[in-house]
Amino acid sequence: MLTLDIFGFKALWSPYFLLILLLFTAGYFVLTTKYRNWFPDSEPLTKTQGSLFLLSIILLYAIKGSPVDLLAHLMFWVHMIQMAALVLVVPPILIISIPNWVWRKLFSISAIGSVFKVLTKPLIALIVFNGLFSFYHVPIIFDHVMQNGWLHAIYSILLFVVATFMWWPLLNQLPEHETLSGLKKVGYIFADGILLTPACALIIFADTPMYATYSDPQVWGQVMSLCVGSANFDSLNLSGPELFSSMSLLHDQQLGGVLMKIIQEIIYGVILGHVFFEWYRKDQADTEQEMKQQLNPLLIK
């Protein structure tokens, strides 16, 4: 089998994407530390927030800028791991890592605030995210998007944004934006899992390869030309992704669907545990407060 080294450093490590992420990271820390005092309602950046932000950037580069991105064009199961990280792992970490005062400043911009207000409503957020994710993995749509560099980039950004909208009702720390609590969060998580299941099931139980991106040499060649550069790819004289993997196309596809569902269940299980813990802690605090209020009149007497 061939190795990825034949594609060259630029295709493997995406230096321009890395530069963009480094500039974004620098902007984050400059805003939240050096220029924080420009904003009267700002709060100091915590070590947890800074660490989580760095983690989200590292993960984002790992899945979209490292050789993992190239592997995702060769093997469908890697693509699904990439998608799971892009929409289920990075957005919740990023939401928590950004200080509340920064979110409030963003929402003070009318266009951003209006979009967030509408698209983070729980029902709308669930439908939009799961609808766009499932739509993306319809074979004819998937193959068309993968063959267009700009369309692929735009759709990836769109999925990331709507995934952020989907996670917002569960994880945001702004009291004025808390639209769910207690059992409603539990129901929200279960509904999200159910809505994502049909797309995974269609991929898992399909009896033939669904995506020309991985099964048609001509389509695969077009996709790879966009990924590594047409001149570079043409010089390699490659016939298809089977040169890089011994797994059959059907098993590759089925493994991708299974991995997506397993990763989803693990992440939702972790969030469910977090929700139960927060719910229990808040319930205990409310109970203690009620007992103090009931005891105070008695102590005064």
Side-chain angles (χ1 to χ4, degrees):
M1 289 186 293
L2 298 178
T3 63
L4 298 181
D5 294 337
I6 62 174
F7 294 111
F9 177 83
K10 184 178 177 181
L12 287 173
W13 296 103
S14 307
Y16 295 121
F17 182 61
L18 176 59
L19 178 61
I20 292 172
L21 291 181
L22 289 175
L23 291 173
F24 184 59
T25 302
Y28 168 86
F29 282 105
V30 168
L31 176 66
T32 55
T33 56
K34 184 175 182 180
Y35 295 114
R36 178 179 63 82
N37 293 330
W38 288 12
F39 304 94
D41 299 328
S42 65
E43 301 168 353
L45 181 70
T46 66
K47 291 183 179 179
T48 299
Q49 290 170 332
S51 299
L52 287 176
F53 183 84
L54 288 175
L55 176 61
S56 68
I57 294 299
I58 292 170
L59 288 173
L60 193 57
Y61 178 69
I63 61 174
K64 297 297 289 184
S66 77
V68 170
D69 187 51
L70 189 55
L71 280 171
H73 291 74
L74 300 172
M75 288 169 275
F76 183 75
W77 69 268
V78 180
H79 162 79
M80 291 305 277
I81 291 177
Q82 182 188 51
M83 282 290 101
L86 182 67
V87 301
L88 300 180
V89 178
V90 178
I93 296 175
L94 190 63
I95 288 173
I96 298 172
S97 72
I98 296 177
N100 286 346
W101 69 268
V102 176
W103 284 117
R104 289 191 174 101
K105 292 300 177 184
L106 285 173
F107 297 149
S108 67
I109 302 172
S110 58
I112 296 177
S114 299
V115 169
F116 252 82
K117 185 176 181 179
V118 173
L119 294 182
T120 57
K121 291 182 182 297
L123 183 59
I124 294 176
L126 283 178
I127 293 173
V128 171
F129 167 70
N130 287 285
L132 286 175
F133 183 86
S134 299
F135 182 75
Y136 177 54
H137 287 94
V138 172
I140 190 172
I141 303 299
F142 181 87
D143 292 329
H144 181 70
V145 169
M146 293 293 284
Q147 292 180 77
N148 186 304
W150 283 106
L151 191 57
H152 183 219
I154 291 171
Y155 210 107
S156 296
I157 294 172
L158 179 62
L159 281 176
F160 183 82
V161 171
V162 297
T164 302
F165 292 154
M166 182 273 289
W167 284 109
W168 183 259
L170 284 172
L171 299 174
N172 87 85
Q173 304 296 311
L174 301 179
E176 65 271 27
H177 282 263
E178 289 186 0
T179 54
L180 296 175
S181 60
L183 282 176
K184 290 182 180 180
K185 286 189 176 182
V186 175
Y188 185 87
I189 295 171
F190 277 107
D192 204 3
I194 292 171
L195 289 173
L196 198 62
T197 298
C200 294
L202 288 174
I203 294 170
I204 295 169
F205 296 109
D207 54 5
T208 57
M210 298 167 58
Y211 301 105
T213 297
Y214 301 95
S215 60
D216 186 326
Q218 185 175 356
V219 176
W220 179 76
Q222 173 65 21
V223 173
M224 290 302 296
S225 294
L226 293 173
C227 183
V228 304
S230 57
N232 185 22
F233 180 76
D234 291 342
S235 67
L236 297 173
N237 295 317
L238 300 175
S239 60
E242 68 277 358
L243 297 173
F244 298 87
S245 174
S246 59
M247 188 181 298
S248 71
L249 293 175
L250 183 58
H251 289 162
D252 173 39
Q253 179 178 288
Q254 291 171 337
L255 178 60
V258 170
L259 286 174
M260 180 68 193
K261 191 59 184 172
I262 290 175
I263 294 171
Q264 177 215 3
E265 293 297 335
I266 292 173
I267 293 171
Y268 285 5
V270 170
I271 297 299
L272 190 61
H274 171 75
V275 167
F276 268 116
F277 176 74
E278 289 294 320
W279 184 22
Y280 173 78
R281 188 171 64 179
K282 185 176 184 302
D283 184 65
Q284 289 293 104
D286 291 343
T287 301
E288 291 178 3
Q289 184 64 28
E290 289 177 4
M291 291 181 64
K292 288 180 180 179
Q293 290 177 350
Q294 292 174 359
L295 288 173
N296 279 340
L298 297 176
L299 293 174
I300 292 174
K301 290 180 181 180

